[in-house]
Amino acid sequence: MSAAIHVHAEENRQREQIAEFGRSLFDRGLSAGSSGNLSVRVGDGWLLTPTNASLGRLDPAAISRLDWDGRLLSGAPPSKEAFLHRAMYQRRAGANAIVHLHATHSAAVSCMCGLDHDDCIPPLTPYFVMKIGRLPLVPYHRPGDPALAGAIGALAAKHSAVLLANHGPVVSGASLEAAVYAAEELEETAKLFLLLRDVPTRALDAAQIDELKSTFGLDI
Ligand code: ZN
C-alpha cells in the first residue's frame, strides 16, 4: 500500500470510529441534543465533529477535517468549539484524541460553589486517579470566547483533562478509545461525588495515590 493510500485508509477508519463512539455516547445520554464534540489527530491535521451535529447521527464522510490553523480542509463546517480542542492539542504532544461533553454529572459539578480549583473531584477511586488524575477547573467564559483557549492551554501541559466552569469536561487521550473511556470514568466519578455529598466519605489518601503513581507510572 502506498503512503498516501495508507493515510487515507487510516483517516477513514478514524471517521468510522468517531461516528461509532459518538452514537454510543449519545445513546447512553452522555451528549444530549447537538452538544459535545469529538476530535482525532490524523495525518498533518485533525478531524472534528461538525457544528449542530448530533453525536448520535454522525455521517463519517461529513466529519470536518482541519489544519492546525483551524482552516476547514474538507467536510461540513466544524464545531464552534474547535478552538478548545486545538488549545489542548497544542500543549499536549501525546494527545491524539479529545472528547468534550456536557454530560449531566460532570456539568453539575462544574456549577458547584466551593470547588478546589486545582482539583475539582476528590480521588474517590483508583480508576479516577489512573484515568484522570487531578482535574483543574477552568474559570467561566461565555461560549466562543477566544480567551478560553488561553485558559485551557495554561493547564493542558500538566493535565490530560480539565473541567470548564458551568459547562463540562475536556478530556484528552492517546487514542479516541482512551479519551472516551477517561471521559466516562470522569462522568461516573462526578456522579459518585454528587451521591456522596452529604455522606461521610473517605477518599484515597496520599500514600495510596503515591502507590498508584509508582505502580502504574502515573504522571499526575
Ligand atoms: Zn461545550
Side-chain angles (χ1 to χ4, degrees):
M1 206 188 286
S2 79
I5 291 173
H6 181 76
V7 167
H8 195 64
E10 171 61 13
E11 180 177 327
N12 285 344
R13 194 181 69 81
Q14 296 289 3
R15 287 175 179 277
E16 298 286 342
Q17 210 179 39
I18 288 171
E20 221 171 273
F21 276 114
R23 190 163 49 244
S24 165
L25 290 165
F26 180 84
D27 286 349
R28 289 176 294 138
L30 291 160
S31 64
S34 62
S35 74
N37 28 76
L38 310 179
S39 70
V40 175
R41 279 187 205 264
V42 62
D44 55 2
W46 53 298
L47 300 172
L48 174 65
T49 48
T51 187
N52 288 324
S54 163
L55 293 190
R57 291 184 299 274
L58 291 170
D59 171 4
I63 289 170
S64 320
R65 178 149 187 260
L66 303 165
D67 68 13
W68 290 114
D69 293 323
R71 280 188 297 257
L72 179 64
L73 302 177
S74 70
S79 162
K80 293 185 183 74
E81 293 183 307
F83 69 102
L84 143 183
H85 291 246
R86 197 154 60 103
M88 190 153 231
Y89 282 125
Q90 281 170 339
R91 292 296 183 93
R92 296 191 73 78
N96 292 318
I98 292 174
V99 173
H100 167 56
L101 300 172
H102 301 171
T104 308
H105 300 90
S106 313
V109 170
S110 84
C111 300
M112 286 166 63
C113 288
L115 292 173
D116 175 351
H117 286 203
D118 296 325
D119 196 4
C120 299
I121 296 182
L124 294 172
T125 70
Y127 313 103
F128 180 75
V129 174
M130 291 190 284
K131 286 199 156 57
I132 298 291
R134 295 169 67 85
L135 180 72
L137 186 74
V138 178
Y140 174 76
H141 291 74
R142 67 158 169 79
D145 183 348
L148 179 57
I152 292 172
L155 293 165
K158 285 195 173 161
H159 298 275
S160 63
V162 299
L163 185 63
L164 311 181
N166 305 86
H167 188 166
V170 182
V171 182
S172 67
S175 65
L176 182 59
E177 183 180 67
V180 168
Y181 289 172
E184 291 186 28
E185 193 67 46
L186 168 49
E187 174 63 6
E188 290 304 309
T189 312
K191 193 173 177 179
L192 294 180
F193 181 45
L194 295 169
L195 279 171
L196 293 167
R197 278 201 81 198
D198 298 320
V199 180
T201 302
R202 189 196 73 83
L204 301 194
D205 62 28
Q208 289 166 332
I209 291 171
D210 282 345
E211 183 191 19
L212 293 171
K213 283 190 195 172
S214 60
T215 306
F216 299 103
L218 306 178
D219 180 24
I220 56 171

